[in-house]
């Protein structure tokens, strides 16, 4: 009870406080409103016939029997939809030389991956639609296919896109020009080739959409389980030729997204077209196998990398080649090269060195598209860098903590620019390293490891330093011509009873956007949080904005809310000053009461100000026009990204007989700037880490030689379950960004960014007595036993 | 698909009348024999709190209580549940039997998108009705068929652990 008062002890101080999410009670009661739950009057259901071939020409499609089935309203092919929808191409202007072929809702001539939707059926129930699919006959003519990276690069091999000369989507190179010289003068060089399997998001709610075109109003309403409603409003408007103001996209409760639900999917675009053709609501919910074969996949990189060091273990240079295979198209509108681009730019990010060269080659193959998924590119750049650092440590004879302490950019040396061109405002690698060392009780962990090793128990300790891109500005997509907003908007109203309604463009997918926006508004205005109602995810109601992706909810959305609230507060105090015959600057708001700023003496509840302004404006001085609704937009300026940083640690045990890995404990020290709600930040970190651990140990989309996905179910594609996951210890360092008043950066991808790297280092540490190494993700028991030469 | 047998289609169209006690009330509905219980609950009875995540019993989103036990409603045809007593998240919420679990999940933010949450709660209630003093390992083991892609499970384990202790101190349930 004798603890000193902190800033959190003043009334309505919510920034920094662990308050529960207001909307979570609804979800706990089974009252979520997911798109998959939605039923509209006269609604019909779509199902899709999918290609069994990875690459084939469509010779003929016979649909008469399907059309004849009772309950079937429409059978549509690619040609039917192409008459009303324009095609799209997944390239961005600033990726020079990038290619990808035009895409249509359903294919016109060829199928390019196994599982691609070919024909759509709309019927009175999903079951009838599926019955009809069985009555459709498609004649295919097999075409030569490309499944792996080597085949995609082979000269004279099959080409995925007729008319092109190779299967390259994009090539890029970064070169400081001095790399060869640095390697020539290095005391030590470490080198490795890494492979990273294809993963997919496996949101627990599959993709879901209900398109509802009303021809009498010329109005399209789409209930869409997406992170980015404004982006889809724009896309549906432009590709179907409907004025933007007559397209409404509503994204209420979303059952998981992780980046997967912001890309254009062929089925979703088709469902909009089907609804336009029928003039009725049409619903499509992917089932799990459809999710596996048509949701975007991610990662799928092969990286060769080397690092040069001087005799003391100081990093001199890195040289990297990243090959990544993305499927037959590049996704739209964000493209599939962003991950590779981030891989080569994030390499070596935490470290102080100048000589860097990287080549990126992005290749087509006959598989479903890969694209942005949680922590785009980060896990790969981090795993490669951190494994090379560990290899170097062992070569130089330094402890993993010591080599990092020698090389990380010093906390007092910012601002800094990385050799790959990223600008860092202020990071805290040294503080994080020190904190992790204490938190892990590193020396005892090492002593225990040595002790157990004598008894045939092989434990490994791994650490991984990381940086994370958050708060992306317009340079991310806008410069490439994509209509993806970097700004966000908020509309704030004081209601007649003195509460606040906040309509904001950042969206909620369970991470707590609505909670933190409510906290910021309540804090800045001086009212109780339960007097703030936050509304998200409806383009007809909320102002246009980028919405929630790439960790921009708190940093950009939060700043938008903060600035909007300050404007509203100023307006409220101006009216209060007129009523109280006082200067606005002499007033403040605390706990919903206008008070004397100096003495904190209560003057008038803000509900009374609202009552007078709304209902008795006749009592205000002539000429007064109360502005109790404010509309405010904020676009990030200053640094192109607000980089965050941190470090993770992992303790695990490898069973050298079975190859099984048990993660014992995981640690993270994270610096996301100003923490708005510590509980939500910690849960974001834990969730992110577990997704990263899944990628590190279990998850892989495995294909046959003929391009068939072999593990398209939750029994075959393993995701982390409670039993395999460790407890996760979390600590924070706070370095707020000076680019905003709020100072918040993102945190959603930090956990995923370094988890794979950490596990990779820990497993290699455990295997070190056997002279065995692992350089592939996921680290399956088979791969462990192969490394041990026991399989 | 030449030689399509129209009689097969008639069989598909045929519906069966089934009766359950759902959330304490008698209900009857017409279902196709091929319709799963989860689809019947969600579509015919509009109890959308029960979710379908994988439709093969791997993810646990569809768990409901049938005759007092947690059962995957995606692995059961609606006709198989004829005569059963079924409690879904809606009923368990209204009766208040899991109010302490819900409050603890809320307090600790043991959910994010909430899609897995009804199944998690049904399973947690099942565990606590069977084991009075579960260890954290027991809790993780009991949840090993409940997939959550948002949280790291830890807050869920913490919440169930706290409720187990509170129920024990309150005099022991069930």
């Amino acid at each position: 009870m004798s603890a000193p008062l902190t800033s959190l002890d003043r009334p309505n101080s919510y920034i920094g406080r662990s308050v529960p999410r207001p909307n979570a009670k609804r979800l706990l009661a089974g009252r979520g409103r997911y798109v998959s739950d939605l039923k509209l009057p006269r609604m019909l259901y779509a199902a899709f016939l999918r290609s069994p071939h990875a690459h084939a020409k469509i010779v003929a499609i016979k649909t008469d029997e399907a059309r004849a089935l009772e309950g079937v309203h429409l059978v549509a092919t690619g040609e039917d939809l192409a008459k009303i929808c324009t095609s799209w191409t997944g390239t961005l202007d600033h990726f020079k030389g990038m290619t990808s072929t035009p895409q249509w809702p359903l294919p016109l001539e060829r199928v390019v991956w196994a599982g691609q939707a070919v024909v759509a059926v709309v019927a009175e129930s999903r079951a009838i639609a599926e019955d009809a699919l069985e009555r459709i006959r498609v004649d295919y003519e097999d075409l030569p296919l490309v499944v792996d990276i080597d085949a995609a690069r082979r000269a004279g091999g099959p080409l995925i896109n007729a008319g092109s000369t190779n299967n390259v989507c994009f090539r890029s190179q970064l070169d400081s020009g001095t790399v060869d010289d640095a390697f020539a003068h290095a005391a030590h060089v470490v080198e490795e080739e890494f492979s990273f399997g294809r993963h997919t998001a496996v949101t627990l709610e599959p993709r879901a959409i209900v398109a509802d075109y009303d021809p009498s109003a010329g109005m399209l309403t789409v209930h869409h389980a997406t992170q980015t409603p404004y982006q889809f409003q724009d896309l549906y408007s432009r590709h179907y030729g409907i004025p933007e103001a007559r397209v409404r996209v509503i994204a209420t409760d979303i059952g998981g997204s992780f980046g997967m639900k912001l890309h254009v999917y062929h089925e979703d675009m088709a469902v909009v077209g089907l609804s336009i053709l029928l003039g009725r609501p049409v619903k499509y919910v992917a089932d799990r196998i459809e999710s596996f074969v048509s949701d975007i996949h991610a990662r799928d990189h092969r990286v060769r990398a080397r690092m040069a060091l001087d005799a003391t273990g100081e990093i001199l240079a890195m040289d990297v080649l990243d090959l990544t295979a993305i499927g037959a198209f590049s996704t739209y509108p964000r493209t599939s090269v962003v991950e590779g681009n981030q891989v080569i730019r994030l390499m070596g990010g935490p470290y102080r060195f100048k000589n860097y060269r990287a080549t990126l080659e992005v290749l087509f193959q006959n598989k479903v598209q890969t694209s942005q998924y949680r922590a785009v590119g980060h896990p790969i750049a981090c795993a490669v860098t951190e494994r090379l650092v560990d290899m170097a440590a062992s070569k130089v004879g330094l402890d993993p903590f010591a080599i990092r302490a020698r090389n990380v950019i010093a906390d007092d040396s910012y601002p800094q620019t990385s050799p790959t061109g990223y600008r860092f405002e202020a990071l805290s690698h040294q503080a994080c390293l020190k904190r992790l060392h204490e938190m892990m009780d590193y020396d005892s962990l090492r002593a225990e490891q040595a002790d157990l090793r004598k008894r045939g128990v092989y434990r490994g300790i791994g650490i991984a330093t990381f940086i994370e891109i958050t708060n992306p500005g317009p340079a991310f997509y806008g410069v490439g011509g994509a209509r993806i907003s970097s700004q966000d908007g908020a509309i704030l109203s004081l209601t007649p009873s003195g509460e606040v309604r906040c309509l904001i463009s950042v969206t909620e997918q369970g991470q707590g956007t609505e909670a933190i926006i409510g906290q910021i508004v309540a804090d800045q205005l001086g009212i109780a949080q339960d007097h703030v109602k936050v509304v998200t995810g409806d383009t007809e109601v909320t102002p246009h904005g980028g919405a929630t992706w790439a960790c921009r909810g708190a940093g950009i959305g939060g700043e938008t809310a903060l600035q909007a609230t300050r404007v509203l507060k100023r307006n409220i105090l101006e009216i209060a000053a007129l009523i109280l015959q006082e200067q606005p600057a002499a007033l403040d708001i605390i706990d919903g009461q206008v008070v004397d700023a100096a003495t904190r003496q209560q003057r008038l509840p803000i509900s009374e100000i609202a009552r007078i302004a709304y209902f008795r404006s006749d009592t205000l001085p002539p000429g007064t026009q109360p502005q109790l609704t404010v509309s405010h937009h904020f676009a990030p300026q200053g640094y192109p990204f607000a980089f965050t940083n941190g470090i993770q640690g992992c303790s695990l045990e490898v069973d050298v007989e079975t190859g099984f890995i048990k993660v014992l404990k995981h640690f993270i020290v994270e610096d996301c700037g100003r923490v708005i709600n510590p509980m939500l930040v910690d849960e974001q970190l834990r969730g992110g880490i577990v997704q990263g651990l899944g990628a590190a140990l279990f998850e892989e989309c495995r294909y046959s030689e003929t391009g068939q996905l072999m593990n398209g179910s939750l029994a075959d594609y393993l995701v982390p379950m409670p039993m395999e996951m460790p407890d996760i210890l979390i600590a924070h360092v706070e370095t707020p960004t000076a680019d905003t008043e709020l100072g918040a950066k993102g945190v959603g991808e930090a956990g995923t960014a370094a988890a794979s790297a950490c596990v990779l280092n820990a497993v290699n540490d455990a295997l070190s007595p056997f002279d065995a190494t692992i350089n592939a993700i996921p680290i399956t028991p088979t791969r462990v036993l192969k490394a041990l030469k026991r399989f | 698909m030449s030689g399509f047998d129209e009689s097969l289609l008639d069989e598909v169209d045929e519906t069966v009348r089934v009766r359950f006690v759902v959330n304490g009330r008698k209900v009857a509905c017409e279902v196709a024999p091929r319709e799963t219980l989860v689809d019947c609950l969600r579509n015919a009875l509009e109890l959308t709190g029960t979710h379908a995540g994988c439709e093969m019993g791997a993810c646990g989103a569809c768990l409901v209580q049938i005759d007092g036990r947690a059962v995957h409603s995606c692995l059961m045809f609606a006709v198989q549940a004829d005569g059963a007593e079924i409690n879904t998240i809606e009923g368990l919420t209204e009766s208040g039997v899991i109010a302490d679990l819900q409050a603890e999940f809320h307090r600790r933010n043991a959910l994010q998108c909430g899609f897995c949450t009804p199944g998690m709660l049904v399973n947690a209630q099942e565990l606590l009705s069977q084991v009075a003093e579960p260890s954290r390992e027991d809790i993780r083991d009991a949840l090993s068929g409940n997939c959550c892609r948002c949280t790291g499970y830890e807050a869920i384990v913490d919440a169930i652990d706290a409720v187990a202790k509170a129920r024990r101190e309150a005099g022991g349930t069930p």
Side-chain angles (χ1 to χ4, degrees), chain A residues 21 34 134 288 720 722 728, chain B residues 1 53 111-113 140 153-154:
Chain A
R21 287 154 51 203
Y34 303 93
E134 292 180 11
R288 188 53 62 186
I728 296 164
Chain B
M1 211 61 59
L111 73 156
Q112 288 189 22
C113 81
R140 284 189 180 274
Y153 297 111
E154 195 171 332

Side-chain angles (χ1 to χ4, degrees), chain A residues 334-479:
Chain A
R334 289 165 195 254
T335 84
S336 302
V337 307
V338 172
E339 173 145 293
N341 188 53
Q342 283 189 192
V343 167
I344 61 167
R345 287 173 196 274
L346 286 163
M347 284 282 175
Y351 301 109
R352 179 189 64 233
F353 67 104
K354 291 201 167 45
N355 306 293
Y356 183 73
R357 180 169 59 206
T359 303
L360 169 68
E361 196 169 296
V362 181
L363 300 150
F364 293 118
Q365 57 179 173
N366 291 113
K367 293 180 187 170
V368 70
Q369 293 150 300
T370 68
S371 203
Q372 284 77 303
Y373 163 56
R374 195 172 198 168
V376 184
H378 293 68
I380 292 155
C382 184
V384 169
T385 304
E386 293 300 294
R387 176 71 190 128
L388 290 179
V389 168
D390 261 20
M391 289 166 71
S394 131
K395 206 156 189 175
V396 180
L398 282 173
D399 179 85
F401 269 98
I403 194 165
R404 285 171 177 84
R406 183 161 299 180
N407 283 289
V408 289
I409 302 170
D411 294 357
D412 62 2
S413 65
Y414 292 93
Q416 283 272 347
T417 302
S418 80
T420 67
Y422 282 141
R423 288 165 57 209
F424 304 132
E425 180 198 7
L427 301 173
S428 57
H429 293 299
Q430 290 173 322
C432 289
L433 258 175
K434 192 166 170 290
R435 187 82 181 80
L436 182 74
H437 195 277
E438 295 159 8
M439 186 165 70
M440 290 178 84
D441 197 0
Y442 184 72
D443 297 332
S444 347
L445 218 49
R446 282 282 178 215
E448 182 192 43
Q449 176 190 38
D451 197 36
L452 287 170
R453 206 172 267 182
K454 288 180 210 147
R455 292 189 265 145
V457 176
Y458 294 93
R459 287 200 175 167
I461 303 161
I463 61 172
T465 303
F466 67 91
I467 56 171
E468 184 204 350
I469 296 173
T470 78
N471 294 7
F476 212 59
Y477 291 113
V479 294

Side-chain angles (χ1 to χ4, degrees), chain A residues 727, chain B residues 100-101 104-105 107-108 110 124 127-128 131-140 143 153-169:
Chain A
D727 282 343
Chain B
D100 52 352
L101 274 167
E104 203 60 35
F105 268 58
R107 198 168 75 79
R108 294 171 185 269
L127 169 72
L128 298 185
V131 187
E133 296 186 34
S135 64
R136 289 178 70 80
E137 193 78 354
D138 291 338
I139 296 170
R140 284 189 180 274
L143 295 178
Y153 297 111
E154 195 171 332
I156 296 171
V157 175
D158 292 343
I160 296 171
D161 189 29
V163 171
K165 290 193 173 91
R167 285 190 185 181
R168 216 154 54 232
E169 279 161 21

Side-chain angles (χ1 to χ4, degrees), chain A residues 455-521:
Chain A
R455 292 189 265 145
V457 176
Y458 294 93
R459 287 200 175 167
I461 303 161
I463 61 172
T465 303
F466 67 91
I467 56 171
E468 184 204 350
I469 296 173
T470 78
N471 294 7
F476 212 59
Y477 291 113
V479 294
R483 295 167 67 88
I484 296 165
S485 179
S486 63
Q487 66 81 47
D488 272 287
I491 298 171
L492 231 60
S493 306
L494 186 71
T495 69
S497 46
E499 299 185 345
V500 169
R501 197 165 66 117
C502 173
L503 316 173
I504 192 153
S505 58
V506 282
T507 51
E508 166 78 55
Q509 292 98 44
Q511 66 276 71
T513 305
E514 290 177 4
I516 62 155
I517 297 298
Q519 284 177 259
I520 292 164
V521 171

Side-chain angles (χ1 to χ4, degrees), chain A residues 297-344:
Chain A
H297 295 175
R299 322 303 187 217
D300 203 0
H301 291 246
R302 193 189 303 159
V303 181
R304 175 155 281 284
R306 56 189 186 130
M307 182 179 273
L309 301 104
D310 73 8
T312 69
E314 196 165 312
I315 299 169
L316 301 174
M318 280 184 80
D319 188 10
V320 175
L321 168 66
D322 178 17
L323 305 175
T324 175
I326 58 163
F329 300 111
S330 161
T331 49
Y332 180 70
R334 289 165 195 254
T335 84
S336 302
V337 307
V338 172
E339 173 145 293
N341 188 53
Q342 283 189 192
V343 167
I344 61 167

Side-chain angles (χ1 to χ4, degrees), chain A residues 20-22 24-25 27-32 34 36-37 39 65 69 125 127-128 131 134-137 200-206 253-256 258 283 287-288 373-374 508-511 662 679-680 683-684 686-688 690-691 699 713-715 717 719-723 725-729, chain B residues 1-4 6 9 12-13 34 42-44 46 48-56 58-59 61 89-90 93-94 98 101-103 105-118 120-121 136-137 139-158:
Chain A
R21 287 154 51 203
K25 277 189 180 167
L27 303 176
L28 281 156
R31 288 173 174 266
Y34 303 93
S36 49
D37 299 334
K39 193 193 274 181
E65 282 191 33
L69 189 65
S125 73
I128 295 171
D131 289 340
E134 292 180 11
R135 305 173 119 208
I136 297 172
R137 203 173 84 198
T200 187
V202 195
T203 60
L204 211 51
E205 182 194 32
D253 293 326
I254 313 296
F258 316 117
K283 178 175 187 174
D287 65 21
R288 188 53 62 186
Y373 163 56
R374 195 172 198 168
E508 166 78 55
Q509 292 98 44
Q511 66 276 71
K662 174 82 184 160
M679 177 169 72
L680 299 187
E683 290 310 307
Q684 277 286 75
R686 289 200 170 94
V690 164
Q691 238 163 36
E699 298 182 40
S713 82
L714 271 178
Y717 182 97
V719 295
M721 300 298 278
M723 203 55 197
M725 289 298 105
D727 282 343
I728 296 164
L729 270 69
Chain B
M1 211 61 59
S2 58
F4 185 81
E6 288 293 335
L9 205 62
V12 167
D13 279 344
R34 63 180 174 178
R42 288 175 51 79
N43 299 334
E46 299 188 342
T48 54
T50 303
H51 298 140
C54 68
E55 296 180 282
M56 61 184 301
C59 78
I89 186 68
E90 290 89 349
T93 302
E94 281 163 23
I98 57 167
L101 274 167
Q102 288 165 315
F105 268 58
H106 182 240
R107 198 168 75 79
R108 294 171 185 269
N109 198 47
L111 73 156
Q112 288 189 22
C113 81
F115 198 79
C116 71
T117 308
M120 285 279 181
L121 290 168
R136 289 178 70 80
E137 193 78 354
I139 296 170
R140 284 189 180 274
D141 187 40
L143 295 178
S144 61
N146 285 81
C147 177
C148 171
R149 283 297 265 178
C150 302
T151 72
Y153 297 111
E154 195 171 332
I156 296 171
V157 175
D158 292 343

